[in-house]
Amino acid sequence: MAVPLLDLKAHHEPIREEIVRALEETFASNQFILGPDVSKLEERVASYCQARYGVGVTSGTDALLLSLMALGIGPGDEVITSCYSFFATAGVVARLRAKPVFVDIDPVTFNIDPTKIEAAVTSNTKAIIPVHLYGQCADMDPILDLARRHGLAVIEDAAQAIGAEYRDGRRACSMGAVGCLSFFPSKNLGCLGDGGMIVTSDGDLAERLKILRVHGSHPKYYHKWIGGNFRLDTIQAAVLNVKLNYLDGWTKRRQDNADRYRQLFQQSGLLKKGAVRLPDAVYRESGVKHHHIYNQFVLRVERRDELMAHLKRKAIGAEIYYPVPFHLQECFQYLGYRGGDFPEAERAARETIAIPIYPELTMAQQTEVVDAIASFYG
Ligand SMILES: *Cc1c(COP(=O)(O)O)cnc(C)c1O
């Protein structure tokens, strides 16, 4: 039995009619640009994230880019971020001709190691972008403290972490100056194409973001700033207004799947053998339900590349997030980093593999995945 890494058909099937109705209503309304569907989604997502304002944008990448623009980041500025994330996190910094400054990760959470940030701060540092990788918050308290001491803006990259809770239950996007979400179909809340949102509780910043989203036009055809077209499509907002109603249920199922993997791997003997290490949810405090929302379930394994090939032969979906840390990417060679600079990220890039965790995954499929991995290690 093949097990895909993600099954969007199974994901959408139970709510197919509701989604089609939303699409038809948008089509009939002839309102395709912004409008009530977008405003409604902005309010709902902001509130879901424990923040005041949402600004719907074209993608998660553009959420990050527009946030940096609104904060005035540009040439000569330095922005500190994790060296281990999806490319967009660092790409947006370089696109604004600012300098990405990388910091190694914590080996347990795969998130930026807060103890290593201070050494990367210079007089040119303007902002920090912590990434809540795989659905678990970065260790925000020390990051927020450091940012306060140095007067730096904190931009949360929460593309993989909508609703994830830190320590006492503070949600991703509620802690920094802004939080950035992606509605790419493989994220926990995905639309039918590209989409994203910036979340903030700063009213002035929200206003600036909304103006920059429409070419900096305010009032119409008068431009104080140079923005761009960064609007979230109305039709995607209409779909997301349906899907948001189900998000908590999906998150719960991802968490249940994670618990079930813990049992299955325990029974398999692979943990004791040391062949496989499971991801840790480190902020598992009482009363906090969404300590990890498992956008990905990432294992640390022995002989990773061979295991990957084995799973491929068995038609088990798996992926490597990410095979090359930023400091070793060809396009960032001009920054002057070298192999060995960030040993934890380099080790993660060699040792990790993501296996299916999507909400519709069945017990039988999970057993299949674990059996396939067990058969590899013999
Ligand atoms: C997906 C992702 C993005 C970019 O989002 P898009 O909607 O694909 O542009 C940025 N950062 C991280 C960590 C992501 O996973």
Side-chain angles (χ1 to χ4, degrees):
M1 175 179 60
V3 184
L5 188 61
L6 180 68
D7 189 345
L8 287 178
K9 190 171 188 307
H11 188 56
H12 288 135
E13 201 50 46
I15 52 169
R16 190 191 135 88
E17 276 172 31
E18 251 188 294
I19 290 177
V20 169
R21 206 176 317 128
L23 292 170
E24 280 174 350
E25 278 168 16
T26 307
F27 186 59
S29 78
N30 285 300
Q31 167 104 44
F32 300 122
I33 300 295
L34 300 179
D37 276 316
V38 174
S39 311
K40 180 174 160 198
L41 183 73
E42 288 172 339
E43 277 168 36
R44 294 182 66 202
V45 169
S47 148
Y48 189 80
C49 296
Q50 302 170 342
R52 287 218 183 86
Y53 311 99
V55 181
V57 294
T58 17
S59 67
T61 304
D62 281 346
L64 290 163
L65 183 69
L66 194 60
S67 295
L68 293 175
M69 288 168 67
L71 291 164
I73 307 287
D77 295 337
E78 294 179 9
V79 177
I80 295 173
T81 192
S82 167
C83 64
Y84 199 60
S85 176
F86 177 63
F87 182 75
T89 312
V92 292
V93 177
R95 283 169 65 190
L96 292 172
R97 299 282 172 253
K99 182 178 167 188
V101 174
F102 301 129
V103 170
D104 206 357
I105 55 168
D106 173 282
V108 174
T109 63
F110 304 101
N111 285 322
I112 192 166
D113 182 340
T115 66
K116 300 198 172 126
I117 298 176
E118 193 99 46
V121 176
T122 74
S123 56
N124 293 323
T125 309
K126 291 285 155 45
I128 307 179
I129 311 180
V131 183
H132 307 314
L133 205 65
Y134 309 142
Q136 174 164 240
C137 285
D139 192 2
M140 291 300 287
D141 279 338
I143 295 172
L144 294 168
D145 176 59
L146 180 143
R148 244 186 321 266
R149 281 188 284 111
H150 292 278
L152 311 176
V154 175
I155 298 147
E156 296 175 65
D157 182 341
Q160 301 183 6
I162 185 167
E165 291 170 355
Y166 176 65
R167 295 201 180 276
D168 49 0
R170 281 169 284 162
R171 288 200 167 177
C173 294
S174 73
M175 296 176 274
V178 294
C180 298
L181 297 169
S182 166
F183 302 129
F184 187 79
S186 68
K187 312 293 173 159
N188 286 29
L189 179 64
C191 62
L192 308 182
D194 280 304
M197 192 171 290
I198 303 165
V199 170
T200 181
S201 288
D202 179 333
D204 293 337
L205 195 54
E207 199 54 39
R208 198 144 20 119
L209 288 164
K210 284 189 176 172
I211 293 170
L212 285 168
R213 175 172 67 175
V214 289
H215 294 285
S217 172
H218 183 68
K220 209 171 183 184
Y221 304 124
Y222 290 79
H223 301 258
K224 189 152 71 173
W225 305 305
I226 302 170
N229 174 358
F230 291 106
R231 293 180 296 256
L232 173 66
D233 279 334
T234 308
I235 207 155
Q236 300 296 358
V239 171
L240 288 163
N241 271 318
V242 172
K243 291 189 69 177
L244 182 55
N245 298 328
Y246 298 92
L247 180 58
D248 280 338
W250 292 328
T251 297
K252 171 81 168 59
R253 283 158 71 176
R254 285 175 183 270
Q255 292 172 330
D256 289 347
N257 291 345
D259 288 342
R260 204 148 52 184
Y261 268 139
R262 287 182 207 288
Q263 287 168 12
L264 291 169
F265 275 108
Q266 193 65 47
Q267 290 158 8
S268 75
L270 288 166
L271 306 181
K272 214 186 289 163
K273 209 190 271 182
V276 171
R277 263 195 61 186
L278 302 181
D280 253 331
V282 299
Y283 306 117
R284 206 181 260 278
E285 287 174 26
S286 62
V288 178
K289 279 206 290 251
H290 293 183
H291 44 79
H292 199 321
I293 59 150
Y294 296 103
N295 179 243
Q296 299 296 344
F297 193 81
V298 175
L299 312 174
R300 209 185 263 279
V301 298
E302 285 180 345
R303 295 191 287 138
R304 195 271 315 273
D305 291 342
E306 288 168 68
L307 174 64
M308 184 76 191
H310 172 82
L311 293 179
K312 194 163 187 175
R313 276 194 302 276
K314 298 216 149 207
I316 306 287
E319 188 61 88
I320 295 163
Y321 302 113
Y322 297 89
V324 185
F326 291 153
H327 67 294
L328 302 180
Q329 291 287 355
E330 194 178 336
C331 67
F332 290 137
Q333 286 316 290
Y334 73 95
L335 294 169
Y337 293 104
R338 281 180 314 191
D341 281 351
F342 303 117
E344 287 303 341
E346 290 171 34
R347 198 156 70 84
R350 279 194 308 271
E351 296 182 352
T352 59
I353 186 168
I355 58 173
I357 189 72
Y358 60 88
E360 298 75 24
L361 195 65
T362 64
M363 172 76 163
Q365 286 175 312
Q366 284 192 277
T367 304
E368 184 99 0
V369 172
V370 177
D371 286 351
I373 295 173
S375 75
F376 173 73
Y377 292 107

